[in-house]
Amino acid sequence: EEKDNMVKTYVFGHKSPDSDSITSSLVMTNLEKALGNSEAEAYRLGNINKETEFILNYLDMEAPELLESIDDGADVILVDHNSPAESVDNLENANILKVVDHHKLALETSYPLFLRFEPVGCSETILCKLYEENGVEISKEIATLMVSAIISDTLLLKSPTTTEDDKLAVEKLAKIAEINAEEYGLEMLKEIYERNIDVKVLILTIHNEIDYLMKAVEIGCNGYVLKDSESSILIFTSTVSSGFTIPRS
């Protein structure tokens, strides 16, 4: 009887989900369950991309179930977004319990709720703090999800949005996950390239270290462009045709 009275909590990120959106839904759901919300379930609002597919395959995990719609009054937790335009269509009729996000505030409600916003490079950095603050152990699997998303969102900690909190989180989580963050990040890029042989990859970066360049070349990147270069001075490692992907760092 008690179980029948329990209401499901939908945990999801934004539409057109990236790795942070998908992993955060899984990580937040795990936290909710650890805190006693056994009815929390992770969902996604769109198809996963190749990078996220690599992360989930690396962990032998299934992607969250696709959420087409929710009933009015449904309990929801938002991660990696808070704008109604990026969320489930009838968000205004849902009961928003919590929001964990690193984007600007775009949500208005007529009721109080738990909000955790921080100006960091990735939502997983905030979730890492929430695990620590609540005394919830971070498993190797959860650590891998977290660090994967931070690596993705901060472009191997080289994005301008990267903060000291992101760096500290990656250092801690990489140890728990037992991975080398830089090597793992490049491996993610390599996997994308190998799974999509028609995709051209051009790295746009402020870093000109030869070791980083050579690793990029080795995994099959088609180009390497320095952000501080004038538009006419581009460093190409091979000919790049139209339709390439640009990882920024």
Side-chain angles (χ1 to χ4, degrees), residues 121-245:
C122 181
S123 296
E124 292 286 19
T125 299
I126 307 172
L127 283 167
C128 182
K129 294 182 182 182
L130 287 174
Y131 270 71
E132 293 174 343
E133 292 166 10
N134 286 280
V136 177
E137 182 181 357
I138 299 175
S139 67
K140 183 177 180 179
E141 182 178 71
I142 291 297
T144 304
L145 288 172
M146 286 181 171
V147 76
S148 297
I150 301 173
I151 287 172
S152 173
D153 262 15
T154 66
L155 307 162
L156 281 171
L157 300 177
K158 294 178 174 64
S159 165
T161 62
T162 305
T163 67
E164 285 303 313
D165 286 354
D166 297 306
K167 295 175 182 177
L168 289 172
V170 166
E171 183 179 359
K172 173 182 178 176
L173 295 168
K175 288 179 181 178
I176 298 173
E178 299 178 358
I179 61 173
N180 178 294
E182 183 175 340
E183 291 178 1
Y184 176 74
L186 290 173
E187 189 65 26
M188 285 199 298
L189 182 59
K190 177 182 178 181
E191 185 73 8
I192 295 169
Y193 184 83
E194 290 180 348
R195 287 171 177 265
N196 299 269
I197 57 175
D198 293 331
V199 172
K200 303 297 187 293
V201 178
L202 175 66
I203 291 182
L204 177 62
T205 182
I206 61 173
H207 297 271
N208 60 1
E209 295 91 344
I210 190 64
D211 288 345
Y212 189 86
L213 169 59
M214 293 310 298
K215 286 181 181 178
V217 173
E218 287 172 7
I219 65 174
C221 291
N222 299 83
Y224 190 94
V225 182
L226 298 179
K227 285 184 178 179
D228 57 358
S229 299
E230 295 181 7
S231 59
S232 60
I233 307 176
L234 303 180
I235 301 175
F236 285 100
T237 57
S238 62
T239 303
V240 180
S241 61
S242 60
F244 50 79
T245 299

Side-chain angles (χ1 to χ4, degrees), residues 1 3 6 11 57 61 115 147 173 221 223 235 238 244 247:
E1 239 180 67
K3 184 175 178 87
M6 298 183 80
V11 184
N57 286 341
M61 293 180 66
L115 297 174
V147 76
L173 295 168
C221 291
I235 301 175
S238 62
F244 50 79

Side-chain angles (χ1 to χ4, degrees), residues 78 82-84 91 96 99 104-109 113 115 117:
L78 309 183
N82 71 97
S83 171
L91 183 66
I96 305 173
V99 182
K104 69 178 182 179
L105 180 62
L107 180 68
E108 291 185 11
T109 67
L113 65 152
L115 297 174
F117 285 71

Side-chain angles (χ1 to χ4, degrees), residues 9-12 28-29 31-37 40 74-82 91 95-101 107 109 111-117 127 130 134:
T9 301
Y10 298 84
V11 184
F12 52 85
M28 185 66 185
T29 296
L31 177 61
E32 282 292 299
K33 290 181 181 295
L35 296 177
N37 184 0
D75 288 344
V76 304
I77 294 176
L78 309 183
V79 292
D80 196 34
H81 79 295
N82 71 97
L91 183 66
N95 179 34
I96 305 173
L97 302 179
K98 300 179 181 182
V99 182
V100 177
D101 194 13
L107 180 68
T109 67
Y111 52 89
L113 65 152
F114 176 91
L115 297 174
R116 184 65 175 264
F117 285 71
L127 283 167
L130 287 174
N134 286 280

